[in-house]
Amino acid sequence: MEKFTLEIIQDTLVAAGDEMFQTLQRTSMSPIIYESLDYAVGITDAKGELLAQGNGVTAFLAALDSVVRATLEKFNAENALEEGDVVIANTPYAGGGTHLSDVSVIYPVFYKTELVAFTVNKAHWTELGGTFPGSVSTVATEIYQEGLHFPFIKVREKGKINQAIVDLIKSNVRLPDSTLGDLYAGIAASEVGARRVISIIEKYGLKTFIKAKEDFLDYGERMCIEALKKIPNGVYEGLSEIEDNGFGEGPFPIKAKITITDNEFIADFNGSHPQVKGATNLAFSGLVTGCRSLFKAITTPRMDANGGAFRPMKVICEPGTIVSAEAPSAVSVYYEVLITSIDLIWKILAPMIPDKLPAGHLRSVCATFISGMHPDTGQFYIQAEPLAGGWGASSTHDGNRGQLSCGSGESYNIPIEIREMRYGIQVEQYAFHNEGGGYGEYQGGNGQYVDYKIVSDGAHVTAAFLGEKTKTWGMNGGHDGSYNYFLIIRKDGIEERHSLGTNIALEKGDVVRCVTATGGGYGDPKDRPKEKVLLDVKNGFITKKEAKEFYHI
């Protein structure tokens, strides 16, 4: 069998993933999907091994193959999937789960009655019911308060949509048109991928297809092991914490021990704090996703994702901790714990591989959910989006400014024009701030101010900005960065500072100011060239006072 043929099949699978990605973006109804790209798509083999993946958010890097495997566990030989079936799932505690808002669409692909592959996508649906708009709460104490739960159910069976499920969704969410639109977009994207898989098999034959995918997975494993050999072997430990659980309690420690050999990477989180009251919990499958994200960044960052590249990685944690939470714990703010877990491994390993890992970044999604009645249309709206901030400096360059967190990956902020058209807000300010921090030979990237002025007759905001008490971390003599937090600036001028908040009442004329952190600096500030410092002052990235105090200019 020609090697060229195998590579063509592999590349075609990757291209099929890209086509699925574009389909979901162009057919979805929610800005958090079609603008922010808060989703991922992929193709697995018949056993659930990842063959190709297109990512908006890296937080789904372990989600797609895991959710397929969990689907196969439920629909086994006695209750096997059939052609035309489509399964939806958002279980946080199994199968690549994160929180209820992230819904997976699992599509079995059949060729001549034989199950040959799965196409799958996972996207953040803006509204899925629950106590508060946006299906996110920092004060939830159990999952039942967070929205609809789909425990691997067939939304389509033998090609026929289950209208009862559609009616159930429609009657239990605040934005039924966009929620159902996102469901149908997910099915459409999966169908596109399925057609591409079938076309590959029809052209090259099933035997050749299987050979190609096996070679692809083995190649991923080989490349990963080669990369591991370039990382110093050893056992490395560290400690981080979740500052608050939404009830003013905390901090809650997270422990990690990383063992690296020439052919294995083990992340051991045993000893982390038990799961907490509140929504700052992460299920084990989410922890695996976080570990995969960092693992890929230091091993095969330029290679297309496939399951083989993760074979050398193992994640260990006893059940029931803040990073391996079990039912019925609340998890709607899981992403803050996920990013803290990534950041912990990052901080542990960065001193050993500074050419691969920079200083600390904003370490929060800084997600905001603002809801109310649109002043022009009279329709209920929910703005949901991640925010950008500063990344840490590295051994060769300044930190990036205005980037989303490591959990967000290739996703984006929503354009101002879209926000002001779709929601009852006005963006009063969108700018880099110079609240300080990140000083070094290489300067940490600046965080941002985003001011939302409420123009509807009343609104509510829910947000989670962990890092309000913990600065981003510097490296090799570089200074720590700054903090994440949000302010409610009342129309009478009174300011209220928050880290976690749920459904805070707002009035017309109030401003929600979101402040994201500046990244950590790298190296001694005295080694930064004078001309770079003066340029930073000119651009407003630091003040004259900071230049004098920290750079002695």
Side-chain angles (χ1 to χ4, degrees), residues 166-177:
V166 172
D167 292 344
L168 181 69
I169 295 171
K170 187 174 182 179
S171 299
N172 282 277
V173 302
R174 297 172 179 87
L175 301 174
D177 289 344

Side-chain angles (χ1 to χ4, degrees), residues 456-478:
S456 55
D457 292 324
H460 291 84
V461 60
T462 295
F465 282 54
L466 286 184
E468 191 262 343
K469 300 182 181 69
T470 307
K471 290 182 177 181
T472 59
W473 45 274
M475 278 181 69
N476 197 34

Side-chain angles (χ1 to χ4, degrees), residues 271-293:
S272 296
H273 194 279
Q275 63 192 54
V276 299
K277 178 182 76 173
T280 51
N281 290 300
L282 176 68
F284 181 75
S285 58
L287 177 63
V288 174
T289 276
C291 293
R292 277 192 176 187
S293 300

Side-chain angles (χ1 to χ4, degrees), residues 370-382 419-426 453-459 508-509:
I370 300 177
S371 61
M373 301 300 293
H374 197 289
D376 298 328
T377 66
Q379 299 294 312
F380 187 72
Y381 70 85
I382 303 173
R419 298 185 227 205
E420 295 188 339
M421 177 181 69
R422 293 285 300 264
Y423 313 123
I425 61 170
Q426 181 175 311
K453 184 176 182 179
I454 304 303
V455 297
S456 55
D457 292 324
K508 187 175 183 178

Side-chain angles (χ1 to χ4, degrees), residues 23 26 168 171 181 269 284 365 378 394 452-453 471 511 523 526 532:
T23 301
R26 293 178 180 181
L168 181 69
S171 299
F269 283 80
F284 181 75
V365 174
S394 75
Y452 301 120
K453 184 176 182 179
K471 290 182 177 181
V511 172
K526 69 178 176 57
K532 284 191 174 183

Side-chain angles (χ1 to χ4, degrees), residues 409-491:
E410 292 298 318
S411 50
Y412 299 88
N413 60 291
I414 296 174
I416 290 173
E417 296 84 356
I418 298 294
R419 298 185 227 205
E420 295 188 339
M421 177 181 69
R422 293 285 300 264
Y423 313 123
I425 61 170
Q426 181 175 311
V427 179
E428 294 278 281
Q429 177 183 210
Y430 199 173
F432 295 122
H433 68 65
N434 55 14
E435 292 197 352
Y439 316 113
E441 178 183 1
Y442 295 99
Q443 172 77 32
N446 293 68
Q448 291 185 326
Y449 288 143
V450 185
D451 287 6
Y452 301 120
K453 184 176 182 179
I454 304 303
V455 297
S456 55
D457 292 324
H460 291 84
V461 60
T462 295
F465 282 54
L466 286 184
E468 191 262 343
K469 300 182 181 69
T470 307
K471 290 182 177 181
T472 59
W473 45 274
M475 278 181 69
N476 197 34
H479 289 222
D480 291 345
S482 66
Y483 303 102
N484 300 302
Y485 61 95
F486 67 100
L487 298 175
I488 307 296
I489 306 173
R490 300 295 180 180
K491 55 187 177 182

Side-chain angles (χ1 to χ4, degrees), residues 249-264:
E249 302 169 345
F252 307 101
I254 298 176
K255 297 181 179 180
K257 180 171 71 174
I258 309 301
T259 303
I260 299 175
T261 69
D262 281 348
N263 55 20
E264 196 170 39

Side-chain angles (χ1 to χ4, degrees), residues 225 228-229 231-234 259-266 312:
I225 289 175
L228 275 177
K229 292 176 180 178
I231 300 174
N233 288 358
T259 303
I260 299 175
T261 69
D262 281 348
N263 55 20
E264 196 170 39
F265 180 100
I266 302 171

